[in-house]
Amino acid sequence: MLFIIMTLLSIYLFLGNWSGVKRAQGSRKFTNAGTDVQLEAGQSLQIGIQVQIPGFWPIPYVIIKDQLIRQNGEETVFTGSLVLDWKRKGELLYSTPPLRRGYYRFGATECLTEDIFGFFQHKGRIELQQSLTLYPQTVSIREWVQFHQMLKGMQHHSTTTRAHRETTQINGVREYIYGDRLSRIHWNATAKTGTWKSKEFERESLPKTIILLDRTSRSYRDAAEFELAVSVAASLFRYGASRDLALGLLSIGKESTYFEAKQSQNHHKQILKHLVGVEADSFHTLQHIVKERSRDLPAGCFFVIISPQKGAAIMQVLSHLEHLQMNPCHIWVHTKPANLFNPQAADSSNLQEDWIKAIRSQGYMGYEVGQLTDLPSLLGGAKRYA
């Protein structure tokens, strides 16, 4: 009897080599997105992995290990178990945590199983190579009030001669901006919506705008602050694409990238694709970058600096841009203190407001962005500093 038991046990363990796990097949699908996945940073992804194992050897359970690799080499392994049905098929469903901006790819999917005694482990690999792109988080900007006022010559007198001219052909309807003439008001749209609307005319020429994204590594306190800067830049380009504005990007890191100001949708897509993979890996100062690239910048352009820096260094950069006959603007990004009831946090808030006042006292545009959701109201003129 002992001989028979040992013989049967040995046969069972020996046949485990032909369990079929090594020849496992499967597929991966995204349950909360289509085939062309376009997610923004901060969103999670629901993934389903369908597995089929050929053979006849009894399998009590199967452990699935799925690997997600980010562009910087950071790996995340998702592990789960499933029980096969009578057709030796099964599906594992799992959700990823909120993902960061960047390029991702899925590595090999491992299938593991053991015999009922747990003596031996059998492994198999399923090659389900897929790529995933997480775009920067953006917000919808309805109107940039001071920007359009500047184009009319209300903010800087030097832009009066460069203000864009408009044809008599109506191109659409936009939100009413304080100061619009009565002849521009679209009365039918105003009556239908209940809010003031103005006529949007086709423009003969558009001023060029250059956005400088500060990628200096020592400027940012943490990764969240840099992500905020990237999201602000992406939101501005989204606004520019919706308004057919000529926007360009100056991004200096380990590799220097400069996109000239253009109006095409393909141009904006290329810039957004670049913003997916940018990192805070620069060691050059903003003043050095502006001096080195001053020849490439169009004269009289609107120059926007997105940076967490403040003080004399930024003021020198703004003054240098004005000397080059450009219209500078500083969007100051920073993460707000967690405890706003702390006296030190209140002092910090006062210093922040003083910095924006100092910028505007010199005739420059300045905005303080502590979180991305504040951007539409700030550019829309909801929050101002005297």
Side-chain angles (χ1 to χ4, degrees):
M1 182 180 297
L2 182 61
F3 175 75
I4 294 174
I5 293 175
M6 294 300 297
T7 301
L8 294 177
L9 180 60
S10 299
I11 294 174
Y12 170 76
L13 297 177
F14 179 74
L15 291 177
N17 293 324
W18 290 272
S19 61
V21 175
K22 296 181 180 180
R23 295 178 288 115
Q25 300 176 351
S27 61
R28 182 190 295 108
K29 65 178 182 179
F30 306 109
T31 59
N32 64 334
T35 305
D36 187 13
V37 181
Q38 290 187 355
L39 298 176
E40 288 190 354
Q43 296 181 345
S44 60
L45 192 64
Q46 297 179 3
I47 301 174
I49 298 180
Q50 296 179 347
V51 178
Q52 181 177 9
I53 299 179
F56 58 89
W57 191 75
I59 298 177
Y61 61 90
V62 179
I63 299 177
I64 305 296
K65 293 184 177 181
D66 205 17
Q67 189 180 37
L68 184 63
I69 306 173
R70 196 171 179 268
Q71 60 186 12
N72 59 354
E74 179 182 346
E75 299 181 2
T76 305
V77 179
F78 303 95
T79 305
S81 61
L82 57 89
V83 178
L84 304 179
D85 58 13
W86 63 277
K87 292 183 179 180
R88 300 175 67 87
K89 294 182 179 180
E91 183 177 7
L92 173 66
L93 298 175
Y94 70 90
S95 297
T96 66
L99 299 175
R100 297 167 52 195
R101 168 190 56 87
Y103 294 101
Y104 293 82
R105 64 179 178 86
F106 287 94
T109 302
E110 292 187 355
C111 299
L112 307 175
T113 187
E114 296 177 346
D115 54 75
I116 58 176
F117 303 104
F119 291 157
F120 299 98
Q121 188 180 73
H122 308 284
K123 297 182 180 180
R125 293 169 63 92
I126 306 176
E127 297 294 337
L128 302 176
Q129 301 291 341
Q130 282 181 291
S131 60
L132 186 66
T133 302
L134 261 79
Y135 294 91
Q137 187 178 4
T138 59
V139 291
S140 178
I141 302 173
R142 296 183 61 185
E143 195 69 40
W144 192 348
V145 176
Q146 285 188 286
F147 173 73
H148 292 284
Q149 289 178 349
M150 181 202 66
L151 299 182
K152 297 178 181 180
M154 298 177 64
Q155 185 73 13
H156 294 275
H157 64 84
S158 61
T159 61
T160 304
T161 57
R162 297 190 299 269
H164 61 279
R165 296 178 298 173
E166 296 175 338
T167 66
T168 57
Q169 182 68 31
I170 298 178
N171 192 31
V173 180
R174 61 169 174 80
E175 295 293 329
Y176 173 79
I177 300 177
Y178 180 79
D180 285 345
R181 300 186 303 271
L182 290 177
S183 60
R184 294 188 63 106
I185 298 178
H186 199 294
W187 297 106
N188 292 336
T190 301
K192 290 180 181 179
T193 60
T195 58
W196 290 97
K197 301 291 183 180
S198 297
K199 300 175 185 177
E200 183 73 30
F201 296 95
E202 290 184 354
R203 286 160 286 194
E204 294 181 354
S205 61
L206 287 172
K208 295 182 179 181
T209 301
I210 302 298
I211 296 178
L212 170 61
L213 176 62
D214 186 3
R215 294 172 55 183
T216 309
S217 57
R218 60 177 177 270
S219 300
Y220 297 91
R221 293 183 294 179
D222 49 29
E225 199 167 61
F226 179 71
E227 292 300 322
L228 176 60
V230 176
S231 296
V232 169
S235 299
L236 293 180
F237 280 104
R238 177 182 173 182
Y239 174 76
S242 63
R243 291 304 185 104
D244 293 330
L245 300 177
L247 268 65
L249 176 66
L250 182 59
S251 175
I252 306 298
K254 289 184 178 179
E255 298 180 357
S256 300
T257 304
Y258 175 63
F259 293 92
E260 295 182 358
K262 298 181 181 178
Q263 298 180 9
S264 65
Q265 293 292 333
N266 186 38
H267 174 69
H268 290 154
K269 289 181 180 179
Q270 292 179 355
I271 293 178
L272 187 60
K273 185 178 180 181
H274 170 76
L275 292 177
V276 172
V278 294
E279 298 290 345
D281 52 7
S282 175
F283 298 96
H284 300 288
T285 62
L286 294 180
Q287 191 170 8
H288 173 78
I289 293 174
V290 171
K291 288 183 178 180
E292 289 292 326
R293 290 286 179 169
S294 59
R295 296 181 180 179
D296 300 331
L297 303 177
C301 69
F302 181 51
F303 200 93
V304 182
I305 301 176
I306 302 177
S307 172
Q309 300 185 45
K310 64 176 182 177
I314 289 294
M315 199 64 74
Q316 290 178 2
V317 174
L318 298 176
S319 177
H320 181 70
L321 291 172
E322 187 179 29
H323 179 71
L324 296 175
Q325 297 183 351
M326 299 180 189
N327 300 310
C329 172
H330 181 209
I331 297 183
W332 182 43
V333 295
H334 68 96
T335 53
K336 293 182 178 179
N339 186 7
L340 296 179
F341 299 98
N342 191 335
Q344 295 180 355
D347 295 339
S348 177
S349 178
N350 294 331
L351 292 176
Q352 295 164 5
E353 186 171 342
D354 292 341
W355 169 243
I356 299 300
K357 287 182 178 179
I359 293 177
R360 296 188 175 182
S361 65
Q362 299 296 322
Y364 309 130
M365 284 191 190
Y367 302 94
E368 170 201 347
V369 181
Q371 54 185 2
L372 186 61
T373 54
D374 295 339
L375 186 62
S377 60
L378 290 173
L379 300 185
K383 183 178 180 181
R384 293 180 179 274
Y385 297 93

